[in-house]
Amino acid sequence: MRQLITDIVESRREFLVVGTARDGAEAIQKIRSLRPDIVTLDFEMPGMDGLTTLSKIMSEMPRPVVMLSAAGSDSGTQTQFARSNSERWISSESRRGW
Protein backbone atom coordinates (compact mmCIF):
# COMPACT_ATOMS: atom_id res chain seq x y z
CA MET A 1 0.00 0.00 0.00
CA ARG A 2 2.80 2.45 0.86
CA GLN A 3 4.42 1.92 -2.53
CA LEU A 4 1.09 2.40 -4.33
CA ILE A 5 0.45 5.71 -2.53
CA THR A 6 4.04 6.80 -3.20
CA ASP A 7 3.65 6.02 -6.90
CA ILE A 8 0.34 7.90 -7.13
CA VAL A 9 1.65 10.98 -5.31
CA GLU A 10 4.93 11.09 -7.21
CA SER A 11 3.15 10.73 -10.55
CA ARG A 12 2.59 14.49 -10.16
CA ARG A 13 5.82 16.47 -10.56
CA GLU A 14 4.77 19.03 -7.96
CA PHE A 15 4.79 16.42 -5.16
CA LEU A 16 7.68 14.55 -3.55
CA VAL A 17 7.34 11.76 -1.00
CA VAL A 18 9.96 12.45 1.68
CA GLY A 19 9.37 9.34 3.77
CA THR A 20 7.20 6.33 4.55
CA ALA A 21 6.51 4.49 7.81
CA ARG A 22 5.40 0.98 8.76
CA ASP A 23 3.35 2.05 11.78
CA GLY A 24 2.09 5.03 13.73
CA ALA A 25 5.08 5.30 16.06
CA GLU A 26 7.50 5.37 13.13
CA ALA A 27 5.25 7.89 11.36
CA ILE A 28 5.39 10.26 14.35
CA GLN A 29 9.19 9.97 14.48
CA LYS A 30 9.55 10.65 10.74
CA ILE A 31 7.10 13.56 10.78
CA ARG A 32 9.15 15.19 13.55
CA SER A 33 12.39 14.83 11.61
CA LEU A 34 11.23 15.27 8.00
CA ARG A 35 8.52 17.93 8.57
CA PRO A 36 6.35 17.04 5.56
CA ASP A 37 3.72 19.48 4.28
CA ILE A 38 1.06 16.74 4.03
CA VAL A 39 0.75 13.31 5.68
CA THR A 40 -1.17 10.24 4.52
CA LEU A 41 -2.27 7.71 7.16
CA ASP A 42 -4.12 4.43 7.05
CA PHE A 43 -6.87 3.94 9.61
CA GLU A 44 -5.60 0.41 10.33
CA MET A 45 -1.90 0.25 11.22
CA PRO A 46 0.07 -2.10 13.46
CA GLY A 47 0.67 -0.79 16.96
CA MET A 48 -0.65 2.76 17.11
CA ASP A 49 -3.74 2.99 14.88
CA GLY A 50 -4.43 5.82 12.46
CA LEU A 51 -6.75 7.81 14.73
CA THR A 52 -4.31 7.71 17.64
CA THR A 53 -1.50 8.74 15.30
CA LEU A 54 -3.67 11.54 13.89
CA SER A 55 -4.41 12.80 17.40
CA LYS A 56 -0.69 12.95 18.23
CA ILE A 57 0.12 14.71 14.96
CA MET A 58 -2.57 17.33 15.44
CA SER A 59 -1.64 18.02 19.07
CA GLU A 60 2.14 18.15 18.55
CA MET A 61 2.72 19.27 14.95
CA PRO A 62 -0.53 20.09 13.14
CA ARG A 63 -0.59 19.73 9.37
CA PRO A 64 -2.94 18.45 6.67
CA VAL A 65 -3.54 14.71 6.92
CA VAL A 66 -5.22 12.49 4.34
CA MET A 67 -6.70 9.39 5.97
CA LEU A 68 -6.95 6.25 3.85
CA SER A 69 -8.41 2.83 4.40
CA ALA A 70 -6.57 -0.11 2.89
CA ALA A 71 -9.16 -2.42 4.43
CA GLY A 72 -11.88 -1.06 2.17
CA SER A 73 -14.66 -1.30 4.71
CA ASP A 74 -15.90 0.96 7.46
CA SER A 75 -15.07 -0.60 10.81
CA GLY A 76 -16.82 2.21 12.63
CA THR A 77 -13.49 3.97 13.10
CA GLN A 78 -13.86 5.81 9.80
CA THR A 79 -17.39 6.87 10.69
CA GLN A 80 -16.17 8.13 14.06
CA PHE A 81 -13.46 10.10 12.27
CA ALA A 82 -15.89 11.56 9.77
CA ARG A 83 -18.23 12.76 12.49
CA SER A 84 -15.65 14.32 14.76
CA ASN A 85 -12.32 15.20 13.17
CA SER A 86 -12.55 15.75 9.47
CA GLU A 87 -12.94 18.87 7.41
CA ARG A 88 -13.94 16.78 4.42
CA TRP A 89 -14.98 13.16 4.14
CA ILE A 90 -15.27 10.98 1.07
CA SER A 91 -16.33 7.41 1.64
CA SER A 92 -15.53 4.55 -0.70
CA GLU A 93 -19.22 4.62 -1.60
CA SER A 94 -18.68 8.09 -3.07
CA ARG A 95 -16.52 6.65 -5.85
CA ARG A 96 -19.51 5.14 -7.57
CA GLY A 97 -20.36 7.17 -10.61
CA TRP A 98 -16.98 8.92 -10.88
Side-chain angles (χ1 to χ4, degrees):
M1 183 62 143
R2 282 176 290 177
Q3 188 59 53
L4 174 64
I5 299 303
T6 297
D7 292 345
I8 291 169
V9 170
E10 289 191 334
S11 71
R12 303 289 305 210
R13 286 183 285 154
E14 55 267 38
F15 296 113
L16 172 66
V17 175
V18 296
T20 62
R22 291 179 295 264
D23 57 42
E26 184 180 8
I28 295 295
Q29 181 181 41
K30 287 191 173 185
I31 292 165
R32 284 183 183 133
S33 65
L34 298 171
R35 300 188 171 280
D37 294 323
I38 299 170
V39 173
T40 61
L41 289 176
D42 196 329
F43 281 98
E44 306 293 327
M45 296 189 295
M48 187 186 315
D49 67 22
L51 286 180
T52 303
T53 304
L54 175 64
S55 178
K56 284 188 164 285
I57 291 168
M58 298 313 280
S59 68
E60 296 178 24
M61 50 206 147
R63 65 200 60 237
V65 177
V66 177
M67 297 294 294
L68 307 166
S69 177
S73 65
D74 188 341
S75 64
T77 305
Q78 291 104 318
T79 301
Q80 176 188 354
F81 169 79
R83 289 184 180 146
S84 62
N85 298 319
S86 66
E87 279 189 42
R88 294 188 179 92
W89 172 256
I90 301 172
S91 74
S92 58
E93 299 297 315
S94 302
R95 294 185 308 187
R96 294 181 186 167
W98 280 9

